[in-house]
């Protein structure tokens, strides 16, 4: 397919939506409502790279397979990534998009983003967006290709280097440098998190991946295409918070966690659950109520580390302030020395018909025109007011569901009804009671029991049925239920811990069981050891099954007795082994189960903490408050603006 | 706000499939009749399990965001997984990923992009086998799902509520399942009630009805019963259904009548969409 020769360079002031020539031969195919393949269809397609990909380098590559012979996949929210092993040691990433909505918009965004990514150097991976990149079900679909970076993601790096505080602190400095570079370039990544930062060279090299949420100056005034990982973002960040400096907050979150871990690695097992470094959204939403913030403040004081203390203060301050007002990081940026490892020649991304010219150009350049790939296409961003073009979900704020229920129309009506009934019926019953008592005093023939009935009604209609109190009771019951569940989980966890404690491995477990079996047990059928034999064994220092294990003979013990004793030990050994398997198979399985329980406990505890905060914020429900409502007096100390 | 709980490894969500394996599933599906109904449904379920595994895949490890159960009913009610997974009700998705019954090599004819056709073999993991014989004890299956899901909800009270998806082609032979379905829909987690979806697959070529919001236009009593059994879609799923081109409205129920294979796969996909995964 011949490239147009009339390409022109972009004017520097042409920063508006459109650049490049209008006639681009590889213009995106216009299929507004074509059916888009799902992740499974892409996984089936990449099993044959030679036919599915258009890029010659990818065509020659083999897709990485897992142990079941299926392609290894990394799922994101909008895309699925496959790893391809090219010639030599070169590996490629092929990113396939799993949704076809906003295809045009996405294409335009990647064209613009690519220009800036080049300026980031080693902090980012050069990529190419191919409109006709992958052939699925008889149609071409776009693909983003880039060299595969084999460095581990930050989450795994931290886990591996918990015992190397200097590596964690080095990473802090590198992150500051990365942030500085991004801000200097005027862009932001938007989704710094454990899976999107790849860390190498002992923490001195960081590479950003996943550019779905990147901001570049051309996007000014638009909405963010995604909100970022909630455990790393400002609790109030919404779709309109899209601009430079967006990564400051996540940088602080990560640095605070890294600095704290460099002092106390045990924080990792206490607070991390694989979906965060340490901080969760709930911690960031309410730093004053967060056990993590409490632990870290204490740690900062104990370790007398001013950098940690300042970072923590900075983060806490940022949590309470507006989204855009986060301060730059406290940790000084380390100077980055470019690693000397040259990147292997990337695939020539020129259309298949072109034969490579004499000198192999960098793969993001086009051989004929000498221009970068993103300069040749025509991209048009839809108008900035096209808000529907971006699908955004703002991270939810802390909601007090029970308190919110108080303002529901049906609760309000019910409350009004309750109050009016009480206002009418209470005086009525009181006056009837007084009249009845008066009547009894006059002619005391019998006691009018109906007074009790009235009084019962009084209780039933009024305070006991007050909707606010009922909601409060539900809230209390919920807290009790959650606490019961936490107790139950803790019980299970301690059981597991006990089981694991005495059974580091299968051998330990069996040995422990055998040690607990006294020789006394052998005196009963079917073993029928004699008392004499037992005495002889005791004399030889053998008191339990473990000591008998692997002893073929004991002086003085007849051989038939010895045989039956050996049988006894073997039976016990088998029983212990099967019990071990029943308990969870391997120590690994048990540890996994325990960490799941631990995660659940902390999740439940967070929920209880939130409910307790809600309980504290709940308006007064005492009888006094009810009486004040009855006579229409304003309540002291309640949330204003509520009826 | 219900149906918004974040899904993570400590708060997974669950999917439970009830699959008709009665004798009538042996009939061919559609006009061309190339495939038996039970084979098509088994393929759809296997494909869906692949989709669920892929949604949780981060390289070699599969994160346990989901737990999955399969129950077949034909003659009697039995668990649908075989091999190592046999007899278990809810299985973490990582174990599902690790233990398919087998990985089949399937041949497919596809366009090569240049006007020709090429044949390719594709590896296709299989967990669930097609099976067709006996009566249709749907009520018993729903009862059993109710027991299993209730136990699950007690274990995971903060999770995104589980979805139960029932696929059938005929009338139940053990009474009306309405009250069993109502009991099933009444349980839930703090985040909302269980979602119960029903898919009726047909042998006829009548027009299909997806996500209806009223009984008007449903051909018979049986369709109306399935409609009544199904949950009203939460707003998020209404939006998802619309994005996929279905005419869903407020009050739409998770029900498809006379579905064909394409809408069956789409329906399953929409029914298993949840709050956003990271």
């Amino acid at each position: 397919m011949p490239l147009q020769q009339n390409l022109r360079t972009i004017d520097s002031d042409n920063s508006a939506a459109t650049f490049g020539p209008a006639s681009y031969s590889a213009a995106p195919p216009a299929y507004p409502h074509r059916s888009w393949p799902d992740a499974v269809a892409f996984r089936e397609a990449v099993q044959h790279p030679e036919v599915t990909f258009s890029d010659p380098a990818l065509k020659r590559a083999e897709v990485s397979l897992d142990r079941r012979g299926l392609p290894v996949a990394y799922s994101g929210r909008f895309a699925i990534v496959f790893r391809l092993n090219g010639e030599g040691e070169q590996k490629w990433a092929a990113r396939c998009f799993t949704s076809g909505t906003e295809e045009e918009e996405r294409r335009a965004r990647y064209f613009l983003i690519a220009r800036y990514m080049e300026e980031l150097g080693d902090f980012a991976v050069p990529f190419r967006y191919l409109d006709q990149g992958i052939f699925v079900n008889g149609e071409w679909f776009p693909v983003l290709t880039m060299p595969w970076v084999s460095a581990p993601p930050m989450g795994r790096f931290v886990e591996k280097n918990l015992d190397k505080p200097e590596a964690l602190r080095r990473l802090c400095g590198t992150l500051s440098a990365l942030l500085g570079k991004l801000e200097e370039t005027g862009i932001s990544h938007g989704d710094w998190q454990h899976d999107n930062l790849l860390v190498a060279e002992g923490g001195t090299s960081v590479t950003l991946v996943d550019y779905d949420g990147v901001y570049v100056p051309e996007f000014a005034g638009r909405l963010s295409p995604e909100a970022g990982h909630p455990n790393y973002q400002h609790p109030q960040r919404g779709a309109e918070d899209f601009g430079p400096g967006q990564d400051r907050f996540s940088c602080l979150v990560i640095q605070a966690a890294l600095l704290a871990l460099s002092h106390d690695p045990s924080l990792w097992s206490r607070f991390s659950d694989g979906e965060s470094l340490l901080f969760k959204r709930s911690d960031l939403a309410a730093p004053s109520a967060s056990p993590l913030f409490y632990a870290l403040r204490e740690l900062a004081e104990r370790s007398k580390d001013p950098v940690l203390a300042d970072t923590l203060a900075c983060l806490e301050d940022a949590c309470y302030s507006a989204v855009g007002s986060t301060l730059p990081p406290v940790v000084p940026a380390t100077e980055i020395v470019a690693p000397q490892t040259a990147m292997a020649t990337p695939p020539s991304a020129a259309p298949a018909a072109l034969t490579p010219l004499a000198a192999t150009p960098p793969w993001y350049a086009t051989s004929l025109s000498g221009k970068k790939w993103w300069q040749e296409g025509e991209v048009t961003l839809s108008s900035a007011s096209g808000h529907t073009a971006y699908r955004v979900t703002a991270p939810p704020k802390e909601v007090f569901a029970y308190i919110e229920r108080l303002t529901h129309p049906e609760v309000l009506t019910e409350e009004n009804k309750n109050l009016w009934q009480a206002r009418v019926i209470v005086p009525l019953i009181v006056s009837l009671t007084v009249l009845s008592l008066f009547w009894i005093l006059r002619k005391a023939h019998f006691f009018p029991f109906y007074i009790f009935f009235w009084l019962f009604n009084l209780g039933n209609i009024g305070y006991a049925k007050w909707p606010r109190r009922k909601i409060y009771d539900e809230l209390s019951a919920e807290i009790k239920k959650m606490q019961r569940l936490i107790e139950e989980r803790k019980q299970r966890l301690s059981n597991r811990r006990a089981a694991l404690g005495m059974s580091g491995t299968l051998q330990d477990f069996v040995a422990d069981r055998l040690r607990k079996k006294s020789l006394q047990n052998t005196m009963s059928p079917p073993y029928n050891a004699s008392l004499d034999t037992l005495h002889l064994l005791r004399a030889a220092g053998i008191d339990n099954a473990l000591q008998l294990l692997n002893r073929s003979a004991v002086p003085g013990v007849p051989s038939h007795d010895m045989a039956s004793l050996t049988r006894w030990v073997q039976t016990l050994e088998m029983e212990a082994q099967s019990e071990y398997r029943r308990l969870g198979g391997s120590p690994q399985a048990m540890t996994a189960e325990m960490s799941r329980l631990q995660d659940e406990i902390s999740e439940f505890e967070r929920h209880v903490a939130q409910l307790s905060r809600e309980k504290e914020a709940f308006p007064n429900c005492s009888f006094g408050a009810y009486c004040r409502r009855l006579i229409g007096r304003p309540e002291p100390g309640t949330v204003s603006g509520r009826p | 706000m219900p149906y918004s709980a974040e899904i993570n490894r400590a708060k997974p969500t669950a999917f439970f499939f009830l699959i008709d394996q009665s004798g009538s599933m042996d009939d061919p599906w559609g006009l061309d009749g190339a495939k038996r109904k039970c084979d098509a449904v088994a393929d759809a379920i296997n494909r869906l399990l692949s989709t669920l595994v892929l949604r949780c895949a981060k390289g070699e490890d599969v994160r346990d965001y989901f737990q999955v159960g399969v129950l077949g009913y034909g003659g009697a009610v039995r668990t649908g997984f075989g091999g190592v997974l046999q007899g278990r009700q809810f299985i973490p998705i990582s174990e599902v990923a690790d233990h398919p019954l087998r990985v089949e090599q399937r041949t497919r004819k596809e366009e090569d992009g240049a006007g020709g056709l090429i044949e390719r073999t594709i590896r296709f993991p299989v967990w669930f086998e097609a099976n067709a014989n006996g009566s249709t004890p749907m009520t018993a299956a729903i009862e059993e799902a109710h027991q299993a899901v209730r136990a699950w909800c007690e274990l995971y009270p903060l999770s995104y509520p589980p979805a139960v998806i029932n696929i059938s082609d005929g009338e139940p032979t053990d009474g009306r399942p309405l009250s069993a379905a109502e009991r099933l829909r009444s349980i839930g987690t703090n985040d909302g009630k269980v979602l119960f979806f029903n898919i009726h697959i047909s042998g006829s070529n009548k027009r299909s009805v997806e996500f209806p919001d009223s009984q008007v236009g449903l051909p018979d009593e049986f369709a109306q019963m399935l409609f009544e059994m199904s949950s009203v879609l939460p707003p998020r799923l209404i939006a998802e259904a619309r994005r996929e081109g279905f005419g869903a409205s407020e009050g739409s129920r998770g029900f498809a009548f006379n579905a064909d294979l394409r809408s069956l796969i789409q329906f399953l996909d929409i029914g298993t969409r949840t709050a956003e995964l990271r």
Side-chain angles (χ1 to χ4, degrees), chain B:
Chain B
M1 194 172 67
Y3 302 107
S4 61
E6 185 199 341
I7 296 172
N8 55 41
R9 276 169 273 192
K11 291 193 303 179
T13 190
F15 303 113
F16 204 71
F17 301 99
L18 304 176
I19 294 157
D20 190 341
Q21 298 182 320
S22 62
S24 59
M25 294 292 282
D26 211 17
D27 299 343
W29 193 351
L31 289 176
D32 52 349
K35 244 180 185 177
R36 292 188 303 162
K37 285 191 221 168
C38 57
D39 287 328
V41 168
D43 277 357
I45 291 291
N46 284 321
R47 195 189 152 83
L48 180 72
L49 288 171
S50 274
T51 309
L52 295 180
V53 168
L54 275 181
R55 279 190 212 162
C56 305
K58 299 279 178 204
E60 291 274 350
D61 66 319
V62 175
R63 299 190 180 164
D64 280 326
Y65 297 130
F66 301 142
Q67 298 194 4
V68 183
V70 182
L71 214 59
Y73 56 97
V77 180
R78 56 186 167 265
T79 54
F81 283 120
V84 198
L85 308 176
Q86 189 154 28
R88 291 169 61 188
Q89 265 171 334
F90 282 102
I91 303 170
I93 195 79
S94 62
E95 281 186 55
V96 174
D98 274 344
H99 301 289
L101 279 180
R102 59 180 178 276
V103 179
E104 279 180 10
Q105 301 268 3
R106 296 197 171 181
T107 340
R108 271 200 208 156
K109 279 206 175 76
E110 283 181 17
E111 292 177 50
D112 63 356
L117 283 177
I118 46 163
E119 210 164 77
R120 292 197 286 176
T121 52
I122 279 164
R123 297 174 75 86
F124 185 88
V126 169
W127 287 272
F128 177 76
E129 300 259 32
N131 206 335
N133 60 62
S135 57
T136 315
M138 192 191 292
T139 313
I142 296 175
E143 264 314 321
E144 192 156 337
H146 172 237
Q147 301 296 337
V149 172
R150 197 178 56 192
W152 191 91
C153 287
E154 270 170 27
L155 268 178
Y156 298 97
L158 297 182
S159 286
Y160 186 92
V164 181
I165 301 178
N166 176 30
I167 305 176
S168 170
D169 76 329
E171 293 188 37
T173 51
D174 60 346
R176 284 167 71 79
L178 272 176
S179 59
E182 188 162 348
R183 276 198 297 282
L184 175 62
R185 276 179 292 138
S186 69
I187 49 179
T189 64
N190 283 12
D191 195 45
K193 299 281 180 222
V194 167
L195 292 171
F196 188 32
F197 299 103
N198 285 283
I199 308 175
H200 172 264
I201 57 172
S202 73
S204 70
N205 55 342
K206 272 190 225 151
R207 201 173 61 86
S208 64
V209 186
E210 288 105 358
F211 303 113
D213 56 2
S214 81
Q215 299 186 347
V216 181
L218 293 177
D220 54 38
E221 202 191 336
F222 171 59
Q224 287 167 7
M225 184 185 76
L226 283 179
F227 171 85
E228 260 178 71
M229 279 159 59
S230 311
S231 298
V232 176
L233 292 183
R236 181 193 291 272
L237 290 189
I238 294 179
E240 297 279 358
R242 280 199 190 139
R243 193 169 323 139
E244 297 295 325
F246 290 107
S249 62
E250 240 170 87
S252 273
R253 301 216 183 189
F255 170 51
F257 191 73
N258 266 342
D260 54 21
L261 185 57
R262 209 180 100 85
S263 52
L264 167 66
I265 289 172
Q266 270 187 324
F267 189 102
L268 286 173
D269 189 48
I270 293 171
T272 51
R273 285 188 198 171
T274 53
E276 277 185 25
L277 281 181
R278 287 303 314 188

Side-chain angles (χ1 to χ4, degrees), chain A residues 75 77 191 193 226 228-230 275, chain B residues 58 65 276-278:
Chain A
S75 277
R77 275 195 297 171
D191 194 11
Q193 47 130 318
E226 68 158 315
H229 198 302
E275 318 278 350
Chain B
K58 299 279 178 204
Y65 297 130
E276 277 185 25
L277 281 181
R278 287 303 314 188

Side-chain angles (χ1 to χ4, degrees), chain A residues 470-505:
Chain A
K470 281 200 315 206
I471 294 177
Y472 185 76
D473 286 346
E474 277 174 39
L475 174 61
S476 312
E478 177 71 24
I479 293 179
K480 278 217 187 76
K481 179 184 138 203
M482 291 314 298
Q483 277 164 345
R484 187 173 51 78
L485 284 169
I486 291 175
E487 276 315 305
E488 184 251 352
R489 296 289 199 279
K490 280 188 174 157
Q491 186 62 44
R492 268 162 60 191
L493 186 64
S494 69
N495 286 349
R496 281 294 144 111
R497 209 166 262 157
L500 192 70
M502 60 193 177
S503 70
T505 63

Side-chain angles (χ1 to χ4, degrees), chain A residues 376-398:
Chain A
E376 336 190 284
E378 171 210 350
V379 296
T380 322
L381 283 171
S382 64
S383 66
S385 58
H387 282 186
T388 47
Y390 288 90
R391 194 166 7 108
V392 180
T393 41
K397 297 166 192 168
E398 184 165 60

